[in-house]
Amino acid sequence: MIEITTQEEANKFYRSSAWKAWRLNYIARHPFERECEMCSIPVEGSQIILDHLVGIRAGGELMSDDNIQVLCRPCNGRKRSTIIVRKNWVDAEVISL
């Protein structure tokens, strides 16, 4: 398994052809998952964000159906903001994202 510990490594992973192919395959295999898990609005095409339940920098599985939820862009942005706030609030030695 690939270990991703930095934001740079995460960005590289999300730009990889392996992730892009897996994302398209996931969307094709789950045709009825077209609602954001957080706000329930319908999402389509490039607006479908596959969000890792356990972040990849926290050791979450990279390409596992069990570690993915569908989010819209606004909810994904809010979730990321919350994670950044939490990281700044908690001692960096206690939690590493």
Side-chain angles (χ1 to χ4, degrees):
M1 184 170 130
I2 299 170
E3 185 175 326
I4 295 178
T5 58
T6 67
Q7 186 62 49
E8 183 178 323
E9 291 170 337
N11 292 342
K12 184 177 178 181
F13 167 73
Y14 286 122
R15 289 189 305 264
S16 73
S17 59
W19 169 253
K20 290 176 182 179
W22 189 87
R23 179 186 181 279
L24 291 175
N25 182 275
Y26 179 94
I27 292 168
R29 288 183 291 114
H30 299 86
F32 300 107
E33 291 185 23
R34 296 294 193 269
E35 281 188 357
C36 174
E37 292 287 332
M38 293 177 74
C39 71
S40 300
I41 68 164
V43 289
E44 289 294 331
S46 64
Q47 295 302 308
I48 298 172
I49 304 297
L50 298 186
D51 175 64
H52 288 89
L53 295 166
V54 177
I56 60 175
R57 290 173 50 198
E61 292 186 55
L62 301 178
M63 294 183 273
S64 167
D65 289 11
D66 295 334
N67 192 35
I68 293 293
Q69 66 179 343
V70 172
L71 295 181
C72 65
R73 286 193 182 279
C75 285
N76 185 58
R78 282 191 292 277
K79 180 182 175 201
R80 291 186 71 187
S81 296
T82 302
I83 291 169
I84 291 167
V85 168
R86 286 185 185 157
K87 183 178 181 195
N88 291 334
W89 181 72
V90 178
D91 186 355
E93 292 181 17
V94 175
I95 186 168
S96 176
L97 297 179

